[in-house]
Amino acid sequence: MAAPAPDDATDDLAKPQEDTSTLAEAIDNVNLQEHLPNGDVVEPSQKRPAKTGASTLAQRALTGSHRHLTEAARDPRDEAPNSATPSRPESPFTLHQPIDYDGLSWPSVGTRDRLEATPEQSAERMQKLSGAVRTILECIGEDPDREGLRGTPERYAQAMLFFTKGYEENVRDIINGAVFHEDHDELVIVKDIEVYSLCEHHLVPFTGKMHIGYIPNRRVLGLSKLARIAEMFSRRLQVQERLTKQVALALTETLHPKGVGVVMESSHLCMVMRGVQKTGAMTVTSCMLGCMRTRAKTREEFLNLVNRR
């Protein structure tokens, strides 16, 4: 029977474990620094006490790698609800219903104020917006009073209100009763709908085409209404992902079809004329609901018809 190892040999065997623990602590410390929201470097010892042990280190490594997945939204209004029941079957969480109790579609904080403004309040809003544009011109080094810029603040203010006129519209008024009973249970697709919107991150345009399809459930919608729904949601400050989903949800809410599919492809000037400046880049997003989401063959048929030229 072999003699037990001396104490110093046991200590030597334990040394690599100590080194591994030190290395894991160093990696975890770097992860902690990288995930600070304001970019400041804070010593990990200020955040939490050091811990050792293989299981503890593994747990901390997992927590450090996926911490960004559980961080709260910067604005509480963007936070998904803490509910085990999704807001709609077989689709990701959404904070707002497609249409609220009085018909507005995803109203923002100031939507109702703008919609219900008196003529005096609308004039005050226009003057305030024009003054802000004049300030921008001054800040970039321009002279708002020179010939070419005279009236530009007022013109831009009017243009901005037009670009965002979707805040004053809602799905129920757009559809206006154009729902008809038909014995049709195959795909209905309107594609190549031109879409113009403003990126909410840089306030520059992104433009492209949207393809909308659905499988009726004994009811069909006037074809022009599909384009009008896309127009309403695009005439707001948007991101393409949300715009795609909002159109699909609005159609589902108002028509209750068997399935809905929306695909959008667009070019974003925020990455064309600034940033990475990639002029040929196209962004494609999709949202599938109902049988479009659960049946691969139905989804494939829709995508094939959309891509057919």
Side-chain angles (χ1 to χ4, degrees), residues 256-285:
H256 301 291
K258 296 178 180 178
V260 173
V262 177
V263 175
M264 182 176 176
E265 47 189 327
S266 66
S267 174
H268 293 246
L269 289 186
C270 59
M271 63 178 294
V272 171
M273 62 185 298
R274 59 161 299 281
V276 294
Q277 301 181 42
K278 300 302 180 184
T279 58
M282 294 292 293
T283 302
V284 181
T285 53

Side-chain angles (χ1 to χ4, degrees), residues 11 16-17 24 26 63 151 204 222-223 225 243 248:
D11 293 341
Q17 296 179 358
T63 305
V204 294
L223 296 179
K225 306 303 181 182
L243 172 57

Side-chain angles (χ1 to χ4, degrees), residues 26 29 71-72 74 93 103 157 226 253 277 299:
N29 292 345
E71 287 181 348
R74 286 174 289 182
F93 290 91
L226 298 176
E253 179 75 10
Q277 301 181 42
R299 182 169 62 251

Side-chain angles (χ1 to χ4, degrees), residues 80-94:
N82 283 326
S83 172
T85 304
S87 59
R88 58 190 185 278
E90 303 178 18
S91 187
F93 290 91
T94 184

Side-chain angles (χ1 to χ4, degrees), residues 26-231:
I27 295 175
D28 195 45
N29 292 345
V30 172
N31 287 338
L32 282 173
Q33 294 177 0
E34 290 179 347
H35 287 86
L36 286 176
N38 59 3
D40 295 335
V41 177
V42 178
E43 293 299 328
S45 58
Q46 301 174 7
K47 302 296 291 183
R48 57 180 179 178
K51 298 179 181 179
T52 55
S55 61
T56 303
L57 291 173
Q59 183 177 4
R60 290 175 60 187
L62 260 175
T63 305
S65 301
H66 300 286
R67 185 178 293 106
H68 63 285
L69 297 177
T70 58
E71 287 181 348
R74 286 174 289 182
D75 190 321
R77 292 170 295 178
D78 295 330
E79 191 69 59
N82 283 326
S83 172
T85 304
S87 59
R88 58 190 185 278
E90 303 178 18
S91 187
F93 290 91
T94 184
L95 182 59
H96 302 295
Q97 293 297 322
I99 302 174
D100 75 351
Y101 66 93
D102 60 356
L104 292 176
S105 306
W106 274 285
S108 188
V109 174
T111 301
R112 195 175 305 280
D113 294 337
R114 177 176 172 180
L115 184 63
E116 300 175 352
T118 64
E120 292 78 12
Q121 291 173 334
S122 297
E124 182 180 355
R125 181 187 300 271
M126 178 66 69
Q127 184 178 3
K128 184 178 180 180
L129 184 53
S130 301
V133 177
R134 183 181 179 88
T135 301
I136 292 175
L137 294 175
E138 293 173 347
C139 290
I140 65 175
E142 264 292 357
D143 177 15
D145 295 321
R146 70 176 177 85
E147 182 182 4
L149 293 178
R150 289 176 189 169
T152 294
E154 291 76 16
R155 285 191 294 267
Y156 185 83
Q158 292 175 353
M160 180 58 71
L161 290 178
F162 177 80
F163 295 154
T164 59
K165 65 185 179 70
Y167 288 117
E168 302 182 38
E169 301 172 340
N170 64 76
V171 173
R172 291 177 181 174
D173 290 344
I174 285 178
I175 291 178
N176 195 26
V179 177
F180 311 100
H181 291 271
E182 289 292 339
D183 186 18
H184 184 79
D185 58 356
E186 297 292 337
L187 271 169
V188 177
I189 300 175
V190 177
K191 63 180 185 177
D192 295 333
I193 301 171
E194 294 181 347
V195 171
Y196 305 91
S197 191
L198 287 178
C199 165
E200 67 180 27
H201 300 143
H202 302 96
L203 298 185
V204 294
F206 64 93
T207 63
K209 294 182 178 180
M210 181 177 289
H211 318 290
I212 305 175
Y214 70 97
I215 298 180
N217 186 13
R218 298 183 180 180
R219 298 193 302 173
V220 298
L221 186 65
L223 296 179
S224 67
K225 306 303 181 182
L226 298 176
R228 292 185 185 277
I229 291 175
E231 172 76 3

